[in-house]
Amino acid sequence: MKKILYSGTFDPLTKGHLDLIRRGASLADQLVVGIIRNPNKTPMFSVEERKEMIEAEIADLPNVVVDSFEGLLVDYVKANDIDAVLRGLRATIDFEYEIQMAQVNAKLHGNMETIFLMTDERYSYISSSVVREVYALGGDISDLVPKKIYEYMMNYKK
């Protein structure tokens, strides 16, 4: 495939996200990490901060770019000539949600492919919301996020 989109809020990027980015990058000429601007969520980090953190973490991956968007995923896919969307699955509850979204997106787009990758079992319990909660309560997040993200967060003013 030429171009794959891996989208999410990435607030913050976790080790699970990074694993999927690395694996997704091997499947395409270009992987776009698309940070979603969701007006219904109050993120811990701004889109610009998340972009900066992710770019630092993926600097060794020349075929990965970071972008941001708001609105419908299918509109971004159409406007940017994306061939497929990558989604990670941690557990069956993820599958139920993700298959529904993939079907809605295919219906709205007309011909949109979704690639599902199982999360590496080492990261299956990690989510950005868990990381934010542990971080907010002063817990150790060093095993949950990549090294550069951890360093950024330790220097971040809560």
Side-chain angles (χ1 to χ4, degrees):
M1 290 200 179
K2 292 185 182 186
K3 203 172 188 182
I4 295 176
L5 171 66
Y6 177 43
S7 64
T9 53
F10 307 112
D11 186 37
L13 185 81
T14 68
K15 284 186 175 181
H17 292 137
L18 183 60
D19 176 61
L20 288 172
I21 289 169
R22 291 190 177 285
R23 291 165 53 205
S26 72
L27 300 174
D29 295 335
Q30 183 179 54
L31 178 74
V32 178
V33 176
I35 302 169
I36 300 170
R37 295 175 189 262
N38 186 339
N40 298 321
K41 290 187 177 182
T42 305
M44 179 176 192
F45 298 104
S46 71
V47 168
E48 294 73 23
E49 289 169 323
R50 286 178 271 164
K51 185 175 183 191
E52 180 182 321
M53 286 190 280
I54 295 168
E55 286 175 339
E57 200 61 57
I58 55 114
D60 65 318
L61 299 171
N63 69 325
V64 179
V65 296
V66 183
D67 196 8
S68 63
F69 67 96
E70 59 186 311
L72 288 174
L73 179 84
V74 294
D75 292 340
Y76 184 85
V77 165
K78 287 177 184 177
N80 292 278
D81 298 317
I82 304 289
D83 297 302
V85 173
L86 172 67
R87 301 303 300 160
L89 301 174
R90 292 173 296 189
T92 55
I93 194 164
D94 284 347
F95 178 76
E96 291 173 13
Y97 173 79
E98 294 295 347
I99 193 72
Q100 181 182 25
M101 292 309 301
Q103 291 169 337
V104 168
N105 288 334
K107 178 72 174 169
L108 292 173
H109 184 279
N111 191 25
M112 192 172 103
E113 292 292 339
T114 301
I115 299 168
F116 295 105
L117 290 179
M118 294 302 301
T119 302
D120 184 304
E121 65 185 33
R122 295 174 294 171
Y123 313 123
S124 63
Y125 65 95
I126 303 172
S127 69
S128 292
S129 57
V130 166
V131 170
R132 286 192 310 273
E133 187 170 345
V134 172
Y135 174 76
L137 296 171
D140 181 10
I141 60 166
S142 62
D143 285 340
L144 307 178
V145 296
K147 184 179 180 189
K148 288 182 173 68
I149 305 300
Y150 177 78
E151 291 169 357
Y152 189 98
M153 291 180 74
M154 291 303 99
N155 293 315
Y156 185 75
K157 306 289 186 239
K158 293 183 194 180

